[in-house]
Amino acid sequence: MTDKHYAIIGGGINGLAVARQLLLDHPAAKVTVFEKESAVAMHQSSHNSGVVHAGLYYEPGGLKARLCRRGAELVQQYCAENQIAYDECGKVVVALSKEEEGRLDTIYQKSLANKVPDVRMLNAEQIKEIEPNCIGTRALYSPRTAIVSYGDIAIKIAEEIKRKGGEIILGRKVTHLSEKNSKINVHFQDNEQHSSQFDYAVSCAGLQSDRLAMHSGDIETPKIVPFFGQYYVIDSNFKDHVKGLIYPVPDPKYPFLGVHFTKRIDGQMTIGPNAFISFGRENYSGKNINISDVYDFLTYKGFWKFSAKNVNAAMRELKTVLSQTNFVEEAAKYVPCLADVSVAPATRGIRAQAMESDGSLVDDFVIRQHGRITHIRNAPSPGATSSMAIAEYIVREVMTHN
């Protein structure tokens, strides 16, 4: 594989990590990254919470659990080697009731099975030692959970790729890949074809992953349904009321986590995100409607089956979309002294949620090979944390089968 030519579609953190890994493992290889935007990391890589997840929630033995743990180590190491800010601020997952305590115990057992370092349970008094303003009956404490800027990491990886002889082509939107006689052609939006043929391709197209896969001969499902998540930054005079990250206990009845406190690498404190259907896969401003994206999910039977099962969750999230006050109230359940804090809109992220035709959300990472093309079909949170481990997995395990 050393003298092969690889095409990587997508210049987000996952695509860049794969390109870097190929150049690390096969220094003689030719690697070309195609990115439709004018710069790398313009989408999910720079529109997220910045949390380096420790691996608390994920099903032991699954790809998420394995690659999150490995990925967190690699992110920490990469930041140290490249002088990128990394803050191990810690995280508490806080229970407010007996019912939530039961669910918290389940998460604790998962975190032990996943070998998350230094996790421990806290009682109400011990919570105050970690987060003096936080209330709760019990909490799971993960002191090694950290925060970074994944946008900064992606930019640094892009620099490294170029230094190692890789090529990053910006402003070219890939519509599909075709394979013939063990060679892959890359086709662009303007109906042109790249002059080079490639030996292998890896599609890391994020919010467009299902479309690129389907147009390149892979199966239709899972389909991406976009959900936006709005973050707010709190008045900086109150940012020290929370030391690190304060999360709710996930409710299995709801598909998304709910509003929480997240410290940002610049020192500001945010609350968010909510989760509601986005009227465009790349509608970061919230002001635009992409008709074809909306048509796409409205004509997908899986979306309607999902919606029918999640009316209560949708109503809960809608309240936080319509009312900033309601948004703050949700977070203040954990830190009552911030019930009246003023907030300003910050990052708006869009989650590329893979959904099956029966309406079920795909929980684990989905990385699938179709001929000489490898598709990342689902890499939601902790996708950024896991990016370098996903790259190792693709380069060292998935692609070796060809």
Side-chain angles (χ1 to χ4, degrees):
M1 289 171 75
T2 53
D3 59 346
K4 304 294 187 187
H5 196 175
Y6 299 88
I8 310 298
I9 317 304
I13 196 166
N14 277 303
L16 295 168
V18 170
R20 170 181 176 267
Q21 194 64 49
L22 283 164
L23 291 164
L24 286 173
D25 286 9
H26 310 295
K30 282 184 73 181
V31 176
T32 304
V33 178
F34 295 97
E35 167 53 49
K36 68 178 181 177
E37 304 295 354
S38 59
V40 299
M42 295 281 280
H43 291 279
Q44 292 179 101
S45 304
S46 56
H47 293 82
N48 58 56
S49 66
V51 176
V52 183
H53 293 280
L56 303 177
Y57 310 100
Y58 316 121
E59 210 51 56
L63 271 184
K64 268 190 182 181
R66 174 188 155 191
L67 299 182
C68 179
R69 283 295 322 123
R70 172 69 177 153
E73 292 167 4
L74 292 171
V75 166
Q76 183 176 18
Q77 184 182 325
Y78 194 80
C79 289
E81 289 171 356
N82 291 279
Q83 291 80 53
I84 298 170
Y86 182 96
D87 180 0
E88 210 168 70
C89 60
K91 166 179 170 177
V92 285
V93 182
V94 181
L96 299 176
S97 66
K98 283 290 179 196
E99 183 192 354
E100 288 188 351
E101 285 183 24
R103 299 204 297 267
L104 194 63
D105 282 329
T106 303
I107 296 170
Y108 179 49
Q109 293 308 318
K110 282 183 180 176
S111 67
L112 292 177
N114 292 336
K115 298 184 168 56
V116 177
D118 304 329
V119 288
R120 66 180 195 269
M121 294 295 289
L122 308 175
N123 61 29
E125 285 306 306
Q126 291 166 324
I127 293 171
K128 298 282 188 194
E129 294 169 17
I130 307 299
E131 290 285 358
N133 296 306
C134 180
I135 62 166
T137 55
R138 290 180 76 208
L140 173 58
Y141 179 41
S142 170
R144 304 287 292 279
T145 296
I147 49 172
V148 293
S149 164
Y150 286 110
D152 288 352
I153 292 172
I155 289 164
K156 185 62 73 173
I157 294 174
E159 291 170 5
E160 186 182 350
I161 288 166
K162 291 175 189 170
R163 225 175 29 248
K164 292 182 186 301
E167 186 180 19
I168 299 176
I169 296 176
L170 299 171
R172 299 306 307 271
K173 182 178 179 179
V174 176
T175 55
H176 66 288
L177 305 166
S178 59
E179 184 177 342
K180 189 177 180 182
N181 299 328
S182 299
K183 290 289 181 181
I184 291 162
N185 290 305
V186 176
H187 304 265
F188 301 112
Q189 190 173 32
D190 53 15
N191 294 321
E192 281 187 29
Q193 192 174 302
H194 194 262
S195 54
S196 298
Q197 286 189 313
F198 297 86
D199 297 291
Y200 297 94
V202 184
S203 168
C204 311
L207 287 153
Q208 308 294 343
S209 62
D210 58 333
R211 290 171 175 165
L212 186 55
M214 189 177 68
H215 293 151
S216 304
D218 198 28
I219 62 175
E220 287 190 28
T221 55
K223 197 169 185 63
I224 295 298
V225 176
F227 288 83
F228 77 80
Q230 179 68 55
Y231 287 87
Y232 289 88
V233 62
I234 73 169
D235 181 337
S236 59
N237 293 318
F238 296 87
K239 65 183 182 183
D240 294 334
H241 283 50
V242 178
K243 305 298 179 191
L245 313 177
I246 300 176
Y247 274 51
V249 179
D251 186 339
K253 293 200 298 285
Y254 293 123
F256 301 113
L257 182 59
V259 174
H260 46 274
F261 287 93
T262 307
K263 185 181 179 184
R264 220 164 55 178
I265 197 67
D266 64 2
Q268 295 301 323
M269 181 59 61
T270 67
I271 56 173
N274 49 12
F276 203 73
I277 194 73
S278 176
F279 296 126
R281 293 195 183 196
E282 298 169 10
N283 180 19
Y284 296 107
S285 69
K287 296 172 184 171
N288 306 312
I289 295 177
N290 184 307
I291 300 298
S292 66
D293 288 351
V294 174
Y295 179 82
D296 223 11
F297 68 72
L298 287 181
T299 55
Y300 183 46
K301 64 181 180 181
F303 171 71
W304 293 105
K305 289 182 178 179
F306 167 83
S307 301
K309 290 184 286 192
N310 290 283
V311 173
N312 290 341
M315 296 314 294
R316 181 187 77 168
E317 296 297 328
L318 183 59
K319 285 180 190 172
T320 67
V321 173
L322 298 175
S323 165
Q324 208 167 277
T325 304
N326 188 278
F327 199 103
V328 174
E329 282 173 358
E330 282 291 311
K333 290 176 184 175
Y334 301 89
V335 185
C337 65
L338 292 178
D340 300 316
V341 72
S342 60
V343 297
T347 308
R348 183 184 176 99
I350 298 180
R351 180 188 180 102
Q353 179 60 61
M355 190 180 288
E356 295 290 4
S357 55
D358 65 358
S360 61
L361 302 184
V362 182
D363 184 51
D364 209 354
F365 297 147
V366 177
I367 298 167
R368 193 160 56 221
Q369 202 167 37
H370 178 79
R372 287 174 167 252
I373 305 168
T374 302
H375 295 282
I376 299 182
R377 292 292 299 255
N378 191 46
S381 179
T385 300
S386 309
S387 55
M388 293 182 187
I390 288 172
E392 282 185 342
Y393 173 71
I394 288 173
V395 172
R396 296 178 181 176
E397 295 182 46
V398 177
M399 295 180 78
T400 56
H401 295 161
N402 249 311

